[in-house]
Amino acid sequence: MPARIVVNGYGTIGKRVADAVALQDDMTLAGVVKRTPDFEARMAVRKGHPLFATDKEALAKFQKAGIKARGTLADAMDQADLVVDCTPEASGYKAAYEKAGVKAIWQGGEEHALTNLSFNAAANFAECLGATFVRVPSCNTTGLIRTLHPLDAHLGVRKVLAVIVRRATDPGDSKKGPLNAIEPELEMPSHHGPDVRSVLPALDIHTIAVKVPTTIMHLHAVAVDLKGPADAAEVLDVWANATRVAFVAGSDGVKSTAQIMEWARDLSRNRSDLYEIAVWRDGVHVTDRTRLYYFQAVHQESDVVPENVDAIRALLELEKDPRRSIEKTDRSLGIGLAK
Ligand code: NAD
């Protein structure tokens, strides 16, 4: 029987994870749980996703709005093996999941301490096999791990400095800013460096973050001291064989994140999502034989989606070989076609 998955919180990440789960043949989407009876709830019903309301109060609001919900989160959990929690940070459902006896996966807004286990399919799938609770780190952290883990594994990384230029908010959000300002994160290092170490504990990484008025992607400018000499071609070769890394090129007219997302739209995937981390091929430079510089862009709404699917497989031990899980997920989402 396919594993029964419930997605709690049906916003930017939740609706993408729900669609991705629905595509898998070893799991079934047993429910999506929403708090507000809005256009996204109506769309969930239209897509045929079993819709549940957060609690009895929310259920009454759904009834009043004429949206048919099948029950509450508690009812959804009765039919679930695992909940993917895509609610905003610190929504506080851990005790409810424990009480219901379901496994759970949280997103990057939560602290690592909530689960003491953070997941990346290529880096630590085996460590998370059979776990009860895990967290998929944020879009930025996932993006850094995607390129740094293979570099460390193949060439050895001595030290990293990553400057993270963060998007202000997601395209569907008209409430947040900055609108006409650049906002430095004054904490040093920014939380991203320690967060990368929640998956790669031995990596010496420092991060600096600034927020800018764009909604479409994050951009990382990364400086890496390699343990041994390498040239740009060797570095590109490592990423060509890595998981969920795609190349773009300034020489092809991809001068900014705007063209990357145009390219993503041309790929005709669901919602024009770009699950891979986009690395500028002609932005990779090695100086002094061991100092590597590169730029990468992260589609904040979607890079964590395949990681959630693989995390489900790891926790429920639907697949024990990370390669096979990654390949299965990638095939279902069309990942790899961008290479
Ligand atoms: P979102 O605001 O788009 O969606 C959250 C959903 O949860 C909404 O449907 C909202 O109505 C619902 N919700 C709010 N409070 C709730 C509650 N108390 N109980 C149940 N549902 C509730 O948020 P998001 O951007 O999808 O973020 C979800 C998680 O994913 C966060 O941890 C966030 O840090 C992380 N994340 C977000 C992004 C991104 O760029 N948006 C990227 C990676 C990870």
Side-chain angles (χ1 to χ4, degrees), residues 14-328:
K15 57 191 180 184
R16 288 172 166 80
V17 170
D19 284 356
V21 166
L23 288 175
Q24 312 306 313
D25 60 12
D26 51 354
M27 50 189 92
T28 180
L29 185 65
V32 300
V33 185
K34 261 202 73 65
R35 198 176 56 159
T36 319
D38 56 8
F39 68 97
E40 286 174 317
R42 289 187 203 281
M43 189 56 83
V45 175
R46 199 165 140 176
K47 285 186 171 201
H49 295 339
L51 177 70
F52 293 81
T54 307
D55 50 27
K56 288 200 170 124
E57 202 184 316
L59 190 57
K61 287 187 194 157
F62 275 76
Q63 272 159 358
K64 199 166 162 209
I67 300 175
K68 189 162 170 32
R70 302 184 184 198
T72 63
L73 170 65
D75 300 319
M77 286 194 297
D78 278 348
Q79 304 164 34
D81 301 304
L82 183 148
V83 176
V84 185
D85 187 310
C86 300
T87 63
E89 62 190 72
S91 290
Y93 285 101
K94 190 175 185 183
Y97 303 151
E98 278 168 338
K99 191 168 165 221
V102 291
K103 295 192 174 198
I105 297 168
W106 281 269
Q107 308 306 311
E110 304 292 343
E111 300 288 332
H112 172 71
L114 182 76
T115 54
N116 282 320
L117 196 58
S118 292
F119 178 88
N120 176 272
N124 72 344
F125 187 100
E127 206 184 309
C128 300
L129 268 177
T132 306
F133 294 144
V134 87
R135 178 187 76 121
V136 171
S138 74
C139 44
N140 276 308
T141 302
T142 296
L144 288 167
I145 294 169
R146 288 256 182 90
T147 47
L148 290 170
H149 172 65
L151 275 183
D152 195 27
H154 293 278
L155 300 173
V157 168
R158 196 180 302 288
K159 210 176 180 65
V160 182
L161 172 65
V163 178
I164 298 169
V165 183
R166 300 174 63 190
R167 61 90 178 103
T169 188
D170 292 329
D173 179 8
S174 52
K175 285 193 194 143
K176 292 185 202 148
L179 193 59
N180 186 22
I182 298 174
E183 191 180 297
E185 187 168 320
L186 299 175
E187 190 187 329
M188 199 62 73
S190 70
H191 69 276
H192 309 91
D195 208 32
V196 168
R197 281 203 293 274
S198 72
V199 174
L200 304 175
L203 196 76
D204 184 350
I205 177 168
H206 189 95
T207 48
I208 296 172
V210 293
K211 216 193 258 183
V212 297
T214 181
T215 62
I216 56 177
M217 291 191 106
H218 303 292
L219 183 133
H220 300 166
V222 191
V224 181
D225 286 333
L226 297 169
K227 284 190 177 154
D231 58 24
E234 286 170 272
V235 170
L236 287 167
D237 201 42
V238 166
W239 289 328
N241 294 303
T243 302
R244 298 165 187 160
V245 176
F247 294 122
V248 293
S251 60
D252 264 356
V254 181
K255 304 287 186 198
S256 75
T257 51
Q259 289 84 45
I260 295 180
M261 287 318 293
E262 186 61 17
W263 174 65
R265 284 189 282 273
D266 288 348
L267 286 169
S268 304
R269 290 178 181 165
N270 197 17
R271 293 191 178 85
S272 304
D273 284 344
L274 186 66
Y275 308 106
E276 298 93 328
I277 303 308
V279 174
W280 270 273
R281 192 189 286 278
D282 40 4
V284 175
H285 303 279
V286 178
T287 62
D288 302 324
R289 302 179 73 222
T290 55
R291 168 58 71 87
L292 162 70
Y293 297 99
Y294 65 97
F295 295 97
Q296 64 179 26
V298 174
H299 185 224
Q300 77 275 357
E301 297 173 282
S302 64
D303 70 326
V304 298
V305 171
E307 303 299 332
N308 273 276
V309 174
D310 290 325
I312 293 170
R313 286 209 185 88
L315 263 56
L316 295 175
E317 298 183 86
L318 302 178
E319 180 57 74
K320 293 199 174 153
D321 178 351
R323 272 272 133 222
R324 284 223 289 269
S325 178
I326 289 167
E327 278 167 21
K328 204 170 166 64

